[in-house]
Amino acid sequence: MWALLVLLGAASISAHLQDRSFDGQKVFRVVPQNDEQVQILNSLANIMQVDFWQPDSVTLVKPKMQVDFRVEAVKTSMVEDLLKESGVEYQVLIDNLQAAVDAQFDSTARAAGHSYEKYNNWDTIAAWTADIAAQNPDLVSRSVIGETYEGRPMYLLKVGKSGPNKKAIFLDCGFHAREWISPAFCQWFVKEAIEYYGKELIMTTILDNLDFYVLPVVNIDGYVYTWTNNRMWRKTRSKNADSLCYGTDPNRNFNAGWCTVGASKNPCSDTYCGSAPESEKETKALADFIREHLSTIKAYLTIHSYSQLLLFPYSYTYALPPDYQELNSIASVATEKLAAWYNTKFTYGPGAETIYPAAGGSDDWAYDQGIKYSFTFELRDTGRYGFLLPESQIKPTCQETSFAIKYIAYYVLEHLY
Amino acid sequence: ELPPGQFPARRAAAVAAAAVRHRRGGPARALGLRELRRARREDIEDVGHKYYLELELEDALDKDSTVNCTAEVLYHVGNKNIAPDVQFTLEGELKSTEEADHMFYTWVRSLEKELVAENIPDSHGHVPAELEPIRLLAWVASGYLIWQNSTENTHLQLAQIKHVKQVKRSDEYLQFDYVVLLHEMVSQEIIPWEMTVLWHPRDGVQVTRDSRQPRH
């Protein structure tokens, strides 16, 4: 029996710390009869990455207690052999965890017309924000941080286990209307948070200790316009004085080197910086919220597409930020994590030299406010489909990006300031 | 020597890839840029900026099929209206697309009504299977537009086919009149562009006429 444990130990050393998906994973229910069997479970926990669902920790296990734990796919047969060999009574509670998890979300999705693997229009997303908060009150709450130009409420989801003095990460999507994969990602991320809380160690640790402020669509008016009028619209839909052209580029509208480079003073341009910093109701609402919560927000993540880039400050100048080394290392590891799924290659670096110099960006503004960990993601692809990323790529894009963001969140947790 | 992660090298690589895609492409083969391995820049006085690039290209229809490419891109300084010069060499042979080309050619010739289509891909990124070669043809032809209209300050990509109409001809060529949308990444503008594309399995893809359209 001990030989088997050694074998299991060797296998777990080469295993990854985080699980990528639950495919093939099993959840076992065991009732140890005596101290010797409790010891066996102890050894199992110590040598392998066994995730205890109940009780929370193996140290709480006592004889005659019902014990549930999750085992990685590659180890399930070894664990079963071990339990059989030691005469420990067990049952397989969940035969394939991924199937169970998928089923849970399929039913809710079909009900509302919402799908995590399709592009949802704004009404569907708005309804989803209400539903997801109502269904998961202990993890998600919804608030309104402002109104768009056309009068739509800007919904914000606060995701995390409530607790005192928690720090937070701000995550926004849908700055640019035509980048549909972006709002799709924010919805996916919230789903993952709920799905894996209490079931996966990293996500549970993150949500116990941090809150995510998730703004699923910043530029709602623009997003609606891409569904009704022009799929390639980018900016907001505010009327510009003395011009027939509508809209401001929200990511040129922040007070960070505003309109000095990479932005246009022409309202007809797709990079129009606006009449003044935060001239847009949407950007003002976002900036106001961050200012009000500045003491608790420790990271700012903003999702765009396309190009497969992970950018950090600065974009308004070629000068490197004081935290360049640290941000660069984080980006390096985060892009590796991302590539681990489907080998999707991301380039990373400071915005100005990596993509182009451009002033007025929200990431630069957040950084200059004191939010050290400020990143812009440009998701798939590199131009083959561009803004028109097929729905079949929503899931893999979101899976890989989620993984990178969880890494960044965990890093932030370990480096709170 | 240039860091491949920075935009000047990446823009030059996109131009090189566009030119290769045009010259070597067809309805069953479109090469895209997978990775920029190395880049070097030379400033030639009174002439322009020359980029020396090592690229890895991939076949759009078979992601596992890649080919190495060395390329030189010369942007002319002074007269911005001259297209950049592109020279390239591909390592090894590209696999034959004779069968797929023949099938597509026969299918189009057999159509009673001239083919017409819009919005490829559609808003959700979908392309009907039978229109995939039409899509690839546009992507290959747009390689020509991109190559001819690039400068060091632009980065053009094909965003969408707004409209395509087949035009039957008395000779053996297939003709498609496209209106495409090009996405210029630096200005973020979407530029409508008309182009007439000719193709025959024996020949490459030719853009015989093109014209930039005003924004709508």
Side-chain angles (χ1 to χ4, degrees), chain A residues 117-414:
Chain A
E117 296 189 45
K118 283 186 150 25
Y119 295 117
N120 301 296
N121 66 21
W122 170 247
D123 286 339
T124 306
I125 297 175
W128 167 83
T129 61
D131 289 343
I132 205 84
Q135 283 157 19
N136 303 277
D138 50 334
L139 275 180
V140 184
S141 63
R142 185 180 84 159
S143 62
V144 175
I145 65 166
E147 246 183 36
T148 66
Y149 180 83
E150 289 176 348
R152 296 183 174 92
M154 294 177 67
Y155 294 120
L156 179 82
L157 295 173
K158 182 177 183 184
V159 183
K161 193 74 177 164
S162 60
N165 302 322
K166 285 180 78 184
K167 302 297 182 218
I169 295 180
F170 193 93
L171 169 66
D172 66 51
C173 294
F175 249 77
H176 292 130
R178 58 195 181 203
E179 298 166 13
W180 282 16
I181 186 64
S182 169
F185 174 72
C186 273
Q187 292 162 68
W188 182 279
F189 188 78
V190 172
K191 164 184 91 82
E192 279 224 358
I194 298 165
E195 223 176 323
Y196 294 164
Y197 180 80
K199 300 187 173 65
E200 193 255 317
L201 188 60
I202 303 287
M203 187 61 96
T204 308
T205 310
I206 291 171
L207 293 176
D208 277 343
N209 295 288
L210 284 173
D211 288 325
F212 277 92
Y213 289 118
V214 181
L215 189 51
V217 185
V218 176
N219 179 11
I220 303 170
D221 296 347
Y223 187 69
V224 170
Y225 197 72
T226 58
W227 279 79
T228 57
N229 289 72
N230 180 355
R231 177 62 177 84
M232 293 294 168
W233 190 257
R234 169 182 166 88
K235 302 186 287 179
T236 61
R237 288 295 303 167
S238 56
K239 187 162 187 343
N240 289 310
D242 307 320
S243 175
L244 292 174
C245 297
Y246 277 70
T248 290
D249 184 341
N251 211 29
R252 302 287 185 278
N253 191 234
F254 283 79
N255 201 2
W258 180 76
C259 225
T260 51
V261 68
S264 172
K265 289 235 187 264
N266 181 348
C268 295
S269 164
D270 261 324
T271 54
Y272 176 51
C273 55
S275 53
E278 294 178 31
S279 60
E280 304 308 284
K281 292 181 73 178
E282 297 84 350
T283 55
K284 177 144 193 357
L286 198 156
D288 281 346
F289 182 87
I290 291 182
R291 276 187 286 256
E292 270 158 58
H293 297 82
L294 203 48
S295 55
T296 52
I297 296 177
K298 297 300 161 189
Y300 175 76
L301 306 172
T302 180
I303 311 294
H304 291 249
S305 78
Y306 57 93
S307 282
Q308 293 175 201
L309 304 170
L310 177 49
L311 308 169
F312 50 86
Y314 285 114
S315 292
Y316 70 81
T317 168
Y318 280 109
L320 295 179
D323 301 292
Y324 168 75
Q325 293 291 1
E326 192 183 3
L327 294 174
N328 201 55
S329 322
I330 296 171
S332 173
V333 179
T335 51
E336 259 176 48
K337 298 279 180 199
L338 192 151
W341 278 82
Y342 302 101
N343 209 26
T344 306
K345 288 191 177 3
F346 266 56
T347 306
Y348 62 91
E353 65 189 53
T354 308
I355 186 172
Y356 39 55
S362 63
D363 55 352
D364 285 353
W365 175 80
Y367 182 81
D368 283 346
Q369 289 290 300
I371 300 174
K372 187 170 32 152
Y373 302 115
S374 182
F375 292 95
T376 296
F377 278 80
E378 294 275 359
L379 302 185
R380 291 196 195 179
D381 58 13
T382 54
R384 167 112 188 261
Y385 287 94
F387 300 122
L388 306 179
L389 195 69
E391 285 177 320
S392 54
Q393 290 199 40
I394 293 179
K395 178 170 167 175
T397 303
C398 291
Q399 284 173 322
E400 64 193 12
T401 308
S402 232
F403 200 54
I405 287 186
K406 275 162 64 176
Y407 162 74
I408 295 178
Y410 202 76
Y411 181 96
V412 170
L413 196 51
E414 305 208 298

